[in-house]
Amino acid sequence: MNPKRHFEEPLEMFAEYTAAASTTAHASQNRLAMTNIRKMLLTFAITLMGLAAVALVYLIYPGIPSKSQVMAFEGFIELPRGGPLTVLDYLTVNDQTLFVTSESSGALFKIAFDPSDLKASTVSEMPGAGAAHGVALLPDLNVAFITRSEANAVDVFDPKSLHQLASIPVADDADAILYIPSTNVVYVAHGDANMVTLIDPQRRVTVGTIQLSGKPEFPAMDSESGLLFQNLKDTNEVAAIDVGQRSVVGQWPLAPCVGPSGMAIDSEQRRLFAVCSGNAKLVVFDLERHRVIASLKIGGGPDSVAFDQGVHRIYTAGRAGDMTVIRQDDPDNYRVLDQIHTHYGAHTLTVDPVSHRVFVAYASLLAHPRIAVFSPTR
């Protein structure tokens, strides 16, 4: 018998037992680790599903806007549902009638509202092909125009019957639209094409174009100077346009504004109000000195702004679901009165200068789209 082998065999057996025990321990630890990982993944998945369910409920159910000491919520006006998702765009008010476009379905809603009872308001609908955006009304001619960006067209319709009368082909991305009585043209801004189309409302044909140096979003007409002011979203500027001469006569920066979208104007006090989608600000632009004189923080993703001269208030709305109420103390001084939480995607609004009501368009998921109605309390 080999003495050396006599001692090596027990050592080898001990090593095998040790290795086996170690392997068993590692396997046990691995199983425990895998069990813990599965539990963590399951907990994470359940948490995600819970958050998704909460988010879905929030998007589906609009809820009541947050309370405010300066605005009273009067209720909702429900609109017909055209699909699982409805994204509304511009609102245009005229003589107790509100026109609302649907960017998602191309429909136009006409709301004849009852000032004493919102629930008695009647809603009619004009279907259409291609995303609908702006509406320009010419009450004296009983005619109106609506932009359709996907169809590259401006449709002409009867605002009383909602019957389509004609369709005018235009450049890409027809968006904001405005009727200018002084020159008797319909002004159409094309975002992607960096240009403007001018339409003769009687002949219903294109009569001219104006090339711009940036992407136009929303125009505002200055009744004092006769100039039209057009913001340029990608260059963070505002341009002054002589529509009669079909030319840009001035252009100035809107800094600190990033991504100007909606605009409103106070011609009497020579002020222009622009909301900035890129950094959630409202800037006040002096039309005489051609510079920004004030900047205020507002709700996220602002897309529209309205000025009510009668009560010296400015209202903004954005995709984050906040309506900001701003007081104009004088031409150079402004302060935020309140920020009212509405609903995610409620990014457009308008104000009725007669009743001072504010109308906010709600986006909707698996629910009826609706218009929230507010009125100032003080």
Side-chain angles (χ1 to χ4, degrees):
M1 184 176 191
N2 187 340
K4 184 179 179 181
R5 185 62 182 164
H6 177 74
F7 290 104
E8 285 178 348
E9 286 180 356
L11 289 173
E12 288 174 357
M13 292 177 63
F14 179 75
E16 288 175 0
Y17 285 133
T18 302
S22 176
T23 302
T24 303
H26 281 302
S28 178
Q29 288 176 355
N30 288 339
R31 285 195 296 272
L32 182 61
M34 288 300 296
T35 301
N36 288 337
I37 289 172
R38 290 193 190 97
K39 287 181 179 179
M40 289 173 61
L41 289 174
L42 181 60
T43 302
F44 183 65
I46 292 172
T47 302
L48 280 181
M49 290 173 63
L51 290 173
V54 170
L56 188 62
V57 170
Y58 169 72
L59 291 173
I60 293 174
Y61 180 67
I64 302 299
S66 61
K67 291 186 180 299
S68 172
Q69 293 184 345
V70 298
M71 299 293 291
F73 172 62
E74 296 189 35
F76 291 116
I77 300 174
E78 279 197 359
L79 305 178
R81 179 181 159 191
L85 175 67
T86 302
V87 179
L88 302 176
D89 207 0
Y90 294 108
L91 298 90
T92 306
V93 64
N94 179 69
D95 191 25
Q96 296 184 11
T97 303
L98 183 68
F99 293 88
V100 186
T101 57
S102 172
E103 187 175 348
S104 51
S105 71
L108 171 71
F109 302 106
K110 177 184 175 182
I111 304 169
F113 57 88
D114 186 331
S116 60
D117 183 7
L118 289 176
K119 293 182 180 179
S121 302
T122 59
V123 179
S124 48
E125 179 181 357
M126 179 180 78
H133 298 289
V135 171
L137 300 169
L138 285 70
D140 294 341
L141 297 177
N142 189 36
V143 69
F145 298 77
I146 181 172
T147 55
R148 298 194 179 280
S149 60
E150 294 172 346
N152 298 334
V154 173
D155 287 348
V156 188
F157 67 96
D158 183 328
K160 292 183 178 178
S161 66
L162 296 185
H163 291 156
Q164 183 172 327
L165 305 173
S167 185
I168 306 166
V170 293
D172 291 348
D173 196 22
D175 189 8
I177 188 170
L178 183 68
Y179 173 61
I180 306 174
S182 60
T183 54
N184 191 33
V185 294
V186 175
Y187 175 102
V188 181
H190 302 268
D192 292 342
N194 288 9
M195 63 173 290
V196 171
T197 295
L198 303 176
I199 295 172
D200 182 319
Q202 277 86 13
R203 292 188 291 147
R204 300 170 187 172
V205 294
T206 298
V207 293
T209 59
I210 303 170
Q211 196 63 42
L212 302 173
S213 62
K215 182 176 182 175
E217 272 287 309
F218 200 82
M221 192 68 197
D222 179 18
S223 59
E224 293 293 321
S225 67
L227 296 175
L228 180 141
F229 288 86
Q230 174 68 67
N231 56 12
L232 304 175
K233 188 173 185 178
D234 52 349
T235 63
N236 304 320
E237 295 175 302
V238 61
I241 300 174
D242 186 325
V243 177
Q245 297 297 319
R246 298 173 188 175
S247 63
V248 176
V249 296
Q251 194 161 309
W252 307 276
L254 288 173
C257 182
V258 178
S261 48
M263 283 205 313
I265 196 166
D266 179 0
S267 291
E268 184 179 312
Q269 303 202 72
R270 316 305 298 138
R271 296 293 181 264
L272 186 75
F273 311 111
V275 290
C276 316
S277 60
N279 58 349
K281 289 182 181 293
L282 175 132
V283 296
V284 182
F285 182 81
D286 188 320
L287 292 172
E288 297 298 329
R289 292 177 286 176
H290 303 136
R291 63 183 182 89
V292 171
I293 55 96
S295 172
L296 295 90
K297 187 70 177 176
I298 57 176
D303 192 35
S304 63
V305 57
F307 174 62
D308 188 345
Q309 187 174 11
V311 295
H312 296 282
R313 281 189 180 182
I314 304 159
Y315 302 97
T316 73
R319 297 185 187 279
D322 293 308
M323 179 175 74
T324 307
V325 184
I326 298 168
R327 169 73 184 181
Q328 181 191 53
D329 291 324
D330 58 53
D332 293 337
N333 292 284
Y334 302 82
R335 55 193 167 96
V336 174
L337 296 179
D338 204 353
Q339 188 158 290
I340 303 167
H341 184 69
T342 54
H343 193 254
Y344 181 80
H347 64 107
T348 55
L349 55 70
T350 193
V351 62
D352 178 11
V354 178
S355 68
H356 306 294
R357 281 189 168 107
V358 179
F359 302 92
V360 182
Y362 275 40
S364 65
L365 177 66
L366 304 177
H368 283 274
R370 60 197 63 207
I371 306 298
V373 185
F374 300 85
S375 58
T377 54
R378 59 179 177 85

